[in-house]
Amino acid sequence: MIIQDVINHLHDLAPLAYAEDFDNVGLLVGDKNKEVSGILVTLDTLEAVVDEAIENNCNLIVSFHPIIFSGLKKLTGKTYVERVVIKAIQHNIAIFSIHTALDNAYQGVNAIICDQLELKNKKILIPQSGTIKKLQTYVPKANAEALRTALFETGAGRLGNYESCSFNVEGEGTYLGNEASNPVLGKKGSLHTEKEVAISVTFKKHLESKVLKTLFEAHPYEEVAYEISTLENTNQHIGLGMVGELENAMETDDCLNYIKTKMRTECIRHSKPLNKPVKRIAVLGGSGSFAISAAKAAGADILVTADLKYHDFFNAENDIVLADIGHYESEQFTKTFLVDYLSKKITNFAIILSKTNTNPIKYL
């Protein structure tokens, strides 16, 4: 098994196409074609984590946060980022980061928080736009079923809990090939009319190259007529944050203590408690001040997130309780989730959970 095989499994879970534009995800250090000797999973890649990988004979580190976030102009070992990259290269260790691709995945970071809090009826809080595309193509009626089947096998035509979804319209197509043409049906130099089916299917944007490759391979025509458009439809399976419900409502103080226990945090900074029971909870792992308005619009009683600034708490405006549980604390269960996921996909050797606590914040 090579590193790219591991990346493919991670891409199935959280396609990198859905990472935020500002992010730096993917293989950051190393050769994707190297044979894998072992995999170490961590939240952050620090020097101690690279040492741990060396000790355990792991030549691939799967990290949630990217060690290289902004551009590196020098590699002199002056900063911790440079020292990590240098040591990884010296020991032929690859580093892969999944970060906001997993933030935006339906079974990703925020689903993990919801499960930790035992929330029901979870939904994406801020759906990502531009994630659904539509293909329309035209094919001879005799070849329509085979082409539809091939497209369905790529993942096209899936809508929520349904698959093999398409819309088909029968009509007549016309074409006239020049001297350089080699038409499958009809003769070059003669106008040809063919009974055709217009097939429309939607697909997730990360599948586009696969869908087009299949279209060109399965379509009988020498020149394939097709159209691809990006839809504005809301996709409730890709996006940041989640909102869910407690089995039973709690008073605010009880709920905050419940969150503190479940999320294993030493401290919660929160806005003024409200005089009403808490039932609906919004969550957003990592820095989440931008989600306050969305949490209010979703009818959440509490937003659980991190990295709120002083003035962010004023935005609660007695409509919601803002609970800052800490950045590390909000994402700490991610690495265990990734170990479990990869262990099910790769069974011929152990996936190692890093023992290094990478939280840079200490509490007195």
Side-chain angles (χ1 to χ4, degrees), residues 112-184:
I112 296 167
I113 299 174
C114 285
D115 291 343
Q116 195 68 23
L117 295 176
E118 299 181 26
L119 302 183
K120 312 294 183 184
N121 305 319
K122 63 179 184 283
K123 295 180 180 179
I124 294 289
L125 181 63
I126 307 173
Q128 193 179 97
S129 61
T131 62
I132 304 174
K133 295 205 169 192
K134 184 176 80 170
L135 165 71
Q136 181 160 315
T137 189
Y138 311 86
V139 63
K141 186 175 179 180
N143 303 97
E145 184 176 352
L147 179 59
R148 275 195 301 269
T149 299
L151 292 172
F152 293 154
E153 288 175 354
T154 68
R158 291 180 183 170
L159 295 173
N161 295 322
Y162 297 84
E163 59 182 49
S164 300
C165 302
S166 68
F167 187 73
N168 305 270
V169 179
E170 293 188 18
E172 289 187 345
T174 63
Y175 53 84
L176 192 158
N178 61 24
E179 285 302 311
S181 67
N182 185 27
V184 175

Side-chain angles (χ1 to χ4, degrees), residues 82-340:
E82 293 175 13
R83 290 192 294 273
V84 166
V85 173
I86 289 171
K87 182 171 283 191
I89 292 173
Q90 287 174 334
H91 292 273
N92 293 313
I93 295 173
I95 303 173
F96 178 90
S97 168
I98 199 166
H99 204 206
T100 57
L102 193 61
D103 280 325
N104 277 303
Y106 188 75
Q107 298 296 338
V109 174
N110 298 295
I112 296 167
I113 299 174
C114 285
D115 291 343
Q116 195 68 23
L117 295 176
E118 299 181 26
L119 302 183
K120 312 294 183 184
N121 305 319
K122 63 179 184 283
K123 295 180 180 179
I124 294 289
L125 181 63
I126 307 173
Q128 193 179 97
S129 61
T131 62
I132 304 174
K133 295 205 169 192
K134 184 176 80 170
L135 165 71
Q136 181 160 315
T137 189
Y138 311 86
V139 63
K141 186 175 179 180
N143 303 97
E145 184 176 352
L147 179 59
R148 275 195 301 269
T149 299
L151 292 172
F152 293 154
E153 288 175 354
T154 68
R158 291 180 183 170
L159 295 173
N161 295 322
Y162 297 84
E163 59 182 49
S164 300
C165 302
S166 68
F167 187 73
N168 305 270
V169 179
E170 293 188 18
E172 289 187 345
T174 63
Y175 53 84
L176 192 158
N178 61 24
E179 285 302 311
S181 67
N182 185 27
V184 175
L185 299 170
K187 297 179 180 179
K188 60 183 177 183
S190 299
L191 180 65
H192 181 76
T193 300
E194 182 69 30
K195 296 288 184 181
E196 293 184 341
V197 177
I199 300 174
S200 297
V201 291
T202 59
F203 59 90
K204 293 180 180 178
K205 72 174 184 179
H206 74 279
L207 296 173
E208 182 169 345
S209 60
K210 188 176 181 181
V211 167
L212 285 179
K213 182 175 183 292
T214 298
L215 171 66
F216 297 143
E217 289 176 349
H219 201 291
Y221 282 170
E222 181 183 24
E223 297 287 350
V224 181
Y226 70 97
E227 306 161 28
I228 286 184
S229 54
T230 301
L231 305 182
E232 295 298 323
N233 302 46
T234 298
N235 187 340
Q236 277 298 333
H237 288 85
I238 300 171
L240 292 170
M242 277 193 161
V243 60
E245 297 175 346
L246 292 165
E247 186 73 36
N248 299 298
M250 299 182 185
E251 295 302 318
T252 302
D253 288 345
D254 292 336
C255 187
L256 288 171
N257 280 307
Y258 173 79
I259 292 168
K260 183 178 179 181
T261 300
K262 285 288 188 178
M263 296 304 298
R264 300 178 197 171
T265 180
E266 296 183 43
C267 174
I268 295 183
R269 299 162 60 237
H270 63 85
S271 60
K272 178 183 176 182
L274 303 180
N275 293 320
K276 65 175 184 177
V278 172
K279 176 74 171 177
R280 196 166 174 80
I281 297 179
V283 305
L284 197 145
S287 304
S289 60
F290 64 89
I292 294 173
S293 295
K296 289 181 181 179
D301 302 306
I302 288 183
L303 169 63
V304 178
T305 188
D307 298 343
L308 298 180
K309 296 180 180 179
Y310 176 81
H311 289 95
D312 292 328
F313 287 98
F314 287 115
N315 291 327
E317 296 184 304
N318 293 318
D319 293 326
I320 193 172
V321 176
L322 303 177
D324 184 334
I325 65 172
H327 196 120
Y328 173 88
E329 289 78 4
S330 71
E331 297 171 338
Q332 63 182 307
F333 303 105
T334 303
K335 62 180 184 178
T336 305
F337 171 83
L338 288 171
V339 167
D340 292 342

